[in-house]
């Protein structure tokens, strides 16, 4: 068996070397997999599943043991300084049945191009709904193939049972970086001789920190697993939420981890909700309640949002008290809804008031649960809803599924303020948790439509400002932790100014580039300079002129081929298109975009049609109870632990919490 073990070591080292573009399993560099993997953190009392896998590659550089996985593997756990026990004994659970399957993957780009996947046979077990209650260090050891082992070192964070904040409001500017915040400030706030005369609301928060956004399998994250990290304290894989991705074919059997709203409901029976200018089934809002390796299983995830996880024993989050956003195609009966069901009807039967437009949203009472779905897909952006309103007629997004446009749309501010009113009423002494997302900061950065992205960032800040005032009016500001952060960033920045009139007058690309001024030639912002005859009626903290002659020279570090004229796009932007005679996903500069501009060569694969996320850390602004804990630089998972500690969710047992001053538990049964 010694020779067998040494071969396993060689195979494992090969997998680490070969797996970069593609990986056999993101959290499993060895042939033995422990999920949650090495370096995982846990909140005391947080439920999780434990998956073990033993891999036997059939072919490729890792081919091993004739493709026969070790079905007699064993797994133990030991707390530092304590006795080593089997998982079943340690957690007092029955031994699960052995599962077997196979999967395939490409070892590198050459293998993909050649169409030669590597096949892997798997033996596996999963232990469900476990919890660790004692803080400290734990080692989980998987033994297989003789004396081969994979060790996962886990940390259970300290206990925190006192509820320091009654409420938490988490604002997420999807994809929002410090550079974007700086650019938005330049657009919406006037400066004189380099001194701003007003500031963004988030500028005025007392504590500023930064979070690192890496995922488990890539240093560039997506919105699903980055949101999941914020909500669970566990990193995951691109496109996954609320789970560690295993190698099985099922999107919904992967090992789960409990989310902040599941913990909050189980411990304090608090109210919770989500608001987004994206589809409510989009990654950031749905990850509060979703458990799946695929963010694209929209219908199933909406069902989880209403009914919680139903295929396994798990925490019942009770359904959101408030759910406001887009994504109507997951609610009216049809191909987009789960099993073709009518989820408007399902929510109504569960006691929800239903709103489909701004008018009915504002008429909602504050005592009932509320579902507001205002359009198909994602919202038209702030700039189109408030400045170029004629663009709305081109949308086919009415929330009952017709091809008519949705014209009576609320904004992020209206949705968030109504959500606060409802949650404040329904939460009562038990408090609430609200996530409010400015979604199209990210979506418009992907489209290289920078003005639309920054308009949505200014809408987010305007919403934060109004929310602080509403909390103050309700007498709830001192009891509420308010956070503003992002899930990831884009490689965006402003590097100068542009004379767009001069640029358009030049005949060739190289001449047009002379219109870009840097350093002393960059000039000053013209977006806050009034122009006779130009008025949008959008109030303070937004540009008074969205289309000045002198604009910002701005762009992304990761982008497709495109043409750039730095002008405002009066309709949504499309920078690339397919070309006859070439593959459908072989993209070229769109002939109709920025016709007076110059060509900017892409930095991405020609199969990428949009800009992409970047490595950058993102800011965290904090005010309210526990604000001091959010300073410094830390991982995205630490946002979860800081919030959980402030809410008293790190528990020594699975009993409901005792509300401050009440002397009794919250009374809920689970």
């Amino acid at each position: 068996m010694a020779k067998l073990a040494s071969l396993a070591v060689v195979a494992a080292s090969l997998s680490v070397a070969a797996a970069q573009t593609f990986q056999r399993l993101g959290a499993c560099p060895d042939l033995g997999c422990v999920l949650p993997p090495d370096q995982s953190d846990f909140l005391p009392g947080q439920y999780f599943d434990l998956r073990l896998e033993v891999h036997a590659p059939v072919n490729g550089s890792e081919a091993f043991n004739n493709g026969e996985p070790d079905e007699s593997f064993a797994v133990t756990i030991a707390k530092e300084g304590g006795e080593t026990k089997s998982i079943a004994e340690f957690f007092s659970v029955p031994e699960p049945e052995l599962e077997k399957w196979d999967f395939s993957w490409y070892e590198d780009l050459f293998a993909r191009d050649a169409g030669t996947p590597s096949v892997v046979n798997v033996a596996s077990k999963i232990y469900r709904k476990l919890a660790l209650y004692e803080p400290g260090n734990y080692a989980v050891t998987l033994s297989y193939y003789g004396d081969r082992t994979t060790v996962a070192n886990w940390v259970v964070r300290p206990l925190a049972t006192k509820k320091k904040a009654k409420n938490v409001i988490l604002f997420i500017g999807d994809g929002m970086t410090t550079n974007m915040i700086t650019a938005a400030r330049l657009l919406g706030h006037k400066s004189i001789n380099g001194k701003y005369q007003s500031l963004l609301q988030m500028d005025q928060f007392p504590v500023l920190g930064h979070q690192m956004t890496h995922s488990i399998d890539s240093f560039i994250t997506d919105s699903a697993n980055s949101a999941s990290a914020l909500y669970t304290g566990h990193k995951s894989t691109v496109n996954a939420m609320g789970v560690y991705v295993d190698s099985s074919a099922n999107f919904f059997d992967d090992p789960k981890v409990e989310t902040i709203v599941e913990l909050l409901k189980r411990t304090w029976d608090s109210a919770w909700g989500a608001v987004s200018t994206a589809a409510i089934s989009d990654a950031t809002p749905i990850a509060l309640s979703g458990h799946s390796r695929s963010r694209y299983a929209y219908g199933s995830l909406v069902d989880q949002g209403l009914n919680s996880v139903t295929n396994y024993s798990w925490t019942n989050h009770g359904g959101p008290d408030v759910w406001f956003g887009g994504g109507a195609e997951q609610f009216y009966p049809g191909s987009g809804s789960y099993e073709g069901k009518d989820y408007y009807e399902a929510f109504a039967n569960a006691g929800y008031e239903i709103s489909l437009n701004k008018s009915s949203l504002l008429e909602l009472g504050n005592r009932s649960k509320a579902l507001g779905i205002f359009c198909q897909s994602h919202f038209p952006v702030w700039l189109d809803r408030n400045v170029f309103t004629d663009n709305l007629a081109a949308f086919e997004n009415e929330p009952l599924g017709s091809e008519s446009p949705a014209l009576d749309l609320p904004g992020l501010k209206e949705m968030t303020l109504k959500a606060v009113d409802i949650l404040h009423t329904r939460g009562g002494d038990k408090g609430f948790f609200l996530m409010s997302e400015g979604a199209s900061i990210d979506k418009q950065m992907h489209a290289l439509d920078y003005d639309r992205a920054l308009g949505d960032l200014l809408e987010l800040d305007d919403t934060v400002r109004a929310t602080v005032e509403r909390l103050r009016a309700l007498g709830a500001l001192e009891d509420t932790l308010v956070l503003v952060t992002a899930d990831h960033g884009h490689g965006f920045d402003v590097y100068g100014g542009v004379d767009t009139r001069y640029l358009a007058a030049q005949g060739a690309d190289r001449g047009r580039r002379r219109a870009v001024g840097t350093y002393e030639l960059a000039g000053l912002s013209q977006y806050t300079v009034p122009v006779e005859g130009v008025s949008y009626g959008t109030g303070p903290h937004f540009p008074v002129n969205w289309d000045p002659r002198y604009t910002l020279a701005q762009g992304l570090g990761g982008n497709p081929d495109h043409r750039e004229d730095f002008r405002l796009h009066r309709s949504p932007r499309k920078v690339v298109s397919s070309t006859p005679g070439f593959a459908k996903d072989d993209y070229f500069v769109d002939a109709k975009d920025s016709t007076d501009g110059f060509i900017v060569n892409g930095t991405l694969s020609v199969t990428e049609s949009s800009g992409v996320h970047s490595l950058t850390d993102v800011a965290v602004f904090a005010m309210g109870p526990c604000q001091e804990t959010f300073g410094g630089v830390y991982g995205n998972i630490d946002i979860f632990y800081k919030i959980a500690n402030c809410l008293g969710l790190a528990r020594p047992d699975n009993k409901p919490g005792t509300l401050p001053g009440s002397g009794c538990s919250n009374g809920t049964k689970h």
Side-chain angles (χ1 to χ4, degrees), residues 71-93:
E71 299 179 14
S72 300
F73 64 83
V75 60
T76 61
I77 185 170
K79 187 175 186 290
E80 188 173 44
E83 182 183 354
T84 299
K85 298 181 179 181
S86 72
I87 296 296
E89 180 185 4
F90 186 90
F91 290 102
S92 299
V93 295

Side-chain angles (χ1 to χ4, degrees), residues 292-306:
S292 176
R293 78 169 62 160
S294 176
R295 60 182 289 181
Y296 304 111
Y298 300 123
S300 298
L301 290 168
V302 166
D303 185 76
Q304 284 188 4
L306 175 61

Side-chain angles (χ1 to χ4, degrees), residues 490-503:
H490 290 255
F492 168 86
D493 210 346
V494 175
Y495 49 88
V498 183
D499 184 343
T500 60
R501 186 183 302 171
Y502 181 86
L503 187 151

Side-chain angles (χ1 to χ4, degrees), residues 6 8 33 35-36 38 44 97 115 124 129 172 216 227 245 260 301 304 366 390 399 438 525 567 584 596 630:
S6 66
C33 313
L35 304 171
D38 188 35
E97 293 184 3
S124 176
K129 203 176 181 182
I172 296 179
I216 212 166
V245 172
I260 188 75
L301 290 168
Q304 284 188 4
N366 294 334
D390 289 347
S525 172
R567 293 290 300 272
K584 189 175 182 180
D596 289 336
F630 289 88

Side-chain angles (χ1 to χ4, degrees), residues 144-346:
Y144 56 101
Y145 292 139
D147 59 356
R148 178 73 177 139
T149 60
T150 296
V151 179
N153 294 292
W154 294 350
V155 175
V156 177
R157 298 287 186 102
L159 295 170
T161 59
K162 182 180 179 181
K163 195 175 186 187
K164 301 174 184 177
K166 181 179 178 182
N167 315 306
V168 173
I169 300 179
L170 174 62
F171 288 99
I172 296 179
D174 201 304
M176 180 178 69
T177 65
T178 302
N179 295 351
M180 295 176 201
I181 294 169
T182 305
R185 186 188 304 116
L186 190 67
L187 263 63
H189 295 265
K190 185 177 181 178
S191 68
I192 299 175
N193 293 329
K195 183 177 182 180
Y196 280 101
Q197 304 303 292
S198 62
L199 293 171
L200 297 165
Q201 177 63 43
M202 63 184 87
D203 290 335
Q204 302 171 61
F205 275 41
V207 175
L208 171 63
H210 283 86
Q211 50 138 325
M212 300 172 282
T213 64
H214 317 76
S215 66
I216 212 166
D217 61 344
S218 172
F219 49 77
I220 305 295
T221 191
D222 83 313
S223 291
N225 78 94
S226 57
S228 187
L230 297 174
Y231 303 156
T232 70
H234 292 256
K235 290 182 179 290
S236 191
T237 298
V238 169
N239 294 328
M241 61 182 70
V243 298
Y244 283 100
V245 172
D246 63 26
S247 66
S248 73
N250 191 331
F251 284 174
F252 293 98
D253 73 344
D254 303 64
K256 302 179 297 299
V257 287
E258 204 170 14
T259 73
I260 188 75
V261 298
E262 291 169 336
L263 280 157
L264 188 62
K265 192 69 177 179
R266 177 163 66 87
T267 304
W268 299 116
D269 194 29
S270 301
W272 69 275
V275 172
S276 178
T277 52
I280 203 68
S281 59
D282 203 31
T284 305
I286 205 67
L288 279 170
S289 54
H291 297 276
S292 176
R293 78 169 62 160
S294 176
R295 60 182 289 181
Y296 304 111
Y298 300 123
S300 298
L301 290 168
V302 166
D303 185 76
Q304 284 188 4
L306 175 61
N307 297 312
S308 301
V309 171
T310 56
N311 56 335
Y312 299 103
S313 175
W314 196 248
T315 304
N316 185 347
H317 55 61
D321 294 80
V322 173
W323 237 19
F324 294 157
E329 58 271 38
Q330 274 78 59
F331 289 85
Y332 57 74
S335 60
S337 66
Y338 180 62
E339 296 182 344
K341 296 177 182 177
D342 185 338
Y343 273 80
Y344 288 133
E345 182 180 29

Side-chain angles (χ1 to χ4, degrees), residues 403-527:
E403 295 181 356
S404 300
L407 299 177
D408 187 12
L409 288 164
L412 185 65
K413 180 164 66 175
E414 290 89 358
M415 291 191 292
T416 302
L417 293 181
K418 189 61 189 177
V420 168
D421 288 345
I422 293 172
L423 293 171
H424 176 71
T425 301
R426 289 186 57 80
D429 292 339
K430 299 173 183 178
F432 67 81
F433 177 96
L434 172 64
M435 189 288 298
S436 176
E437 180 199 21
S440 283
I441 302 168
D442 169 75
K443 297 183 191 308
Q444 297 306 307
M445 280 292 165
H446 278 297
L448 279 60
D449 202 334
Y450 310 121
D451 292 304
R452 280 178 170 74
L454 297 177
D456 271 44
L457 197 160
L458 289 170
E459 179 186 32
L460 174 67
D461 189 70
D462 191 48
T463 301
V464 175
R465 187 186 308 274
T467 300
V468 169
E469 290 306 312
R470 179 59 58 86
L471 290 170
R472 182 176 286 113
L474 292 171
L477 184 60
E478 299 303 316
D479 297 328
T480 304
L481 170 63
V482 183
L483 301 170
V484 185
T485 189
D487 49 351
H488 61 79
H490 290 255
F492 168 86
D493 210 346
V494 175
Y495 49 88
V498 183
D499 184 343
T500 60
R501 186 183 302 171
Y502 181 86
L503 187 151
Q506 308 309 304
D509 278 13
R510 295 188 69 82
R512 289 172 178 171
R513 287 167 59 181
R514 294 175 60 198
V516 178
T518 58
Y519 301 108
E520 75 279 8
L521 300 181
L524 299 171
S525 172
Q526 300 297 303
Y527 293 86

